[in-house]
Amino acid sequence: STSTLATTFTLRNDASNNTIRNCFVEGAGISTTAAGTILIGAGTTTGNTNNTISNNDIRDLSSTGTRHAVGVLSAGLVAAPNGTNTISNNNIFNFTSSGVNITATGNAGNWTISGNSFYYNNATAASTAQTPINCSPGAAAMGNLIYGNYIGGQSPQAGGAAWTTTGAALFIGIQASVGTTSPSTTIR
């Protein structure tokens, strides 16, 4: 679907201990704040925790090239924050806003974002601001790990030609707004 709020997978209502693995996940939702190709949404009591998203291709619609805004979006509730989730070893590509966006709304700490490849090879060059990894769950979010990711190129592991944009599009590889007490966030 190319609906503004289209998602392909949604984890919500305290979804815990789930795995999305070895899938080709395509989407074209254009909301940057309420939908992702994979959405980790609102919990009810404990939040959506201990979920793993690994070894997937998370991308635009291959049949039409219609791009998605966000690959993986986590936006929960302050009273039941999402946390202790892993996003690893995925190819996340052809997004117009963020590859992974962990918002300041309803997210806790202990996220692991590792071994992913973020790249862009859609025929339509990107013309909007892009942030492959936006980990901004806020000041109370401790223990996040962001490591071993590849950002750039037109194929996995930053391969192929350069990632290109048009105009004055802002590009931020990794943005983090997280806790300040130990253990805070490790980026390497």
Side-chain angles (χ1 to χ4, degrees):
S1 170
T2 57
S3 163
T4 300
L5 299 177
T7 62
T8 304
F9 284 102
T10 301
L11 301 172
R12 63 177 173 206
N13 298 330
D14 298 338
S16 297
N17 303 307
N18 297 289
T19 300
I20 301 171
R21 180 177 33 222
N22 299 329
C23 295
F24 293 99
V25 186
E26 298 188 2
I30 58 173
S31 173
T32 60
T33 58
T37 299
I38 298 176
L39 172 65
I40 303 172
T44 56
T45 304
T46 61
N48 303 295
T49 61
N50 296 308
N51 296 298
T52 300
I53 300 168
S54 67
N55 298 308
N56 302 292
D57 279 358
I58 303 168
R59 60 165 301 163
D60 55 337
L61 294 180
S62 61
S63 60
T64 64
T66 303
R67 297 171 293 166
H68 57 149
V70 181
V72 179
L73 173 68
S74 180
L77 297 174
V78 172
N82 302 327
T84 315
N85 292 303
T86 298
I87 303 167
S88 65
N89 302 311
N90 300 287
N91 294 321
I92 304 173
F93 57 105
N94 295 342
F95 50 86
T96 59
S97 180
S98 297
V100 172
N101 186 5
I102 302 168
T103 70
T105 304
N107 284 297
N110 298 310
W111 285 83
T112 299
I113 304 169
S114 66
N116 300 290
S117 289
F118 298 91
Y119 57 95
Y120 192 92
N121 65 11
N122 189 286
T124 303
S127 60
T128 57
Q130 292 173 300
T131 304
I133 301 172
N134 181 16
C135 183
S136 300
M142 310 302 181
N144 301 294
L145 299 171
I146 302 171
Y147 65 94
N149 296 287
Y150 295 88
I151 298 173
Q154 293 187 9
S155 61
Q157 299 182 336
W163 180 325
T164 59
T165 60
T166 61
L170 179 65
F171 186 92
I172 301 171
I174 299 173
Q175 179 170 301
S177 177
V178 294
T180 56
T181 58
S182 184
S184 185
T185 293
T186 301
I187 300 173
R188 58 175 189 241

